[in-house]
Amino acid sequence: MDRAEEKFRIAYEWGSKSRRKIELKSGYKIPDALLNAVARIHMDQVPNEARAMWWEIVSENDPDLVTAFVAHVTAAQEEDTL
């Protein structure tokens, strides 16, 4: 998994440098390339261990993003139940 971790760290670094931002429902602005990486990591074929590794890297670098993303997903789920 060391190679995978290295690739995830590189993906995070590149994604976080994107200049275009997208505002989440929580109000947090996330670089669009990073949001695309999040979408890819949650594809069905990605193992849960890889997802956990990705979110560990994100939480080390930007814990506010993790909090904002959880709030975004929660808000979206609440809208779906209304």
Side-chain angles (χ1 to χ4, degrees):
M1 274 298 215
D2 291 335
R3 183 155 169 78
E5 183 176 354
E6 179 183 342
K7 287 188 173 212
F8 283 156
R9 288 190 184 281
I10 291 168
Y12 174 83
E13 288 175 26
W14 277 97
S16 64
K17 292 177 183 177
S18 176
R19 290 186 178 150
R20 289 188 298 162
K21 308 260 186 208
I22 296 172
E23 189 170 337
L24 300 176
K25 292 181 184 298
S26 62
Y28 190 90
K29 292 183 179 174
I30 179 173
D32 67 337
L34 199 53
L35 185 58
N36 290 336
V38 168
R40 285 192 305 275
I41 198 69
H42 283 280
M43 296 175 89
D44 289 341
Q45 64 267 32
V46 176
N48 288 334
E49 297 83 11
R51 288 185 190 133
M53 183 185 299
W54 167 258
W55 284 109
E56 184 178 323
I57 291 167
V58 173
S59 67
E60 288 172 7
N61 290 283
D62 192 354
D64 292 338
L65 172 58
V66 176
T67 302
F69 196 75
V70 169
H72 174 79
V73 170
T74 301
Q77 289 172 343
E78 288 173 357
E79 284 180 4
D80 287 344
T81 60
L82 295 178

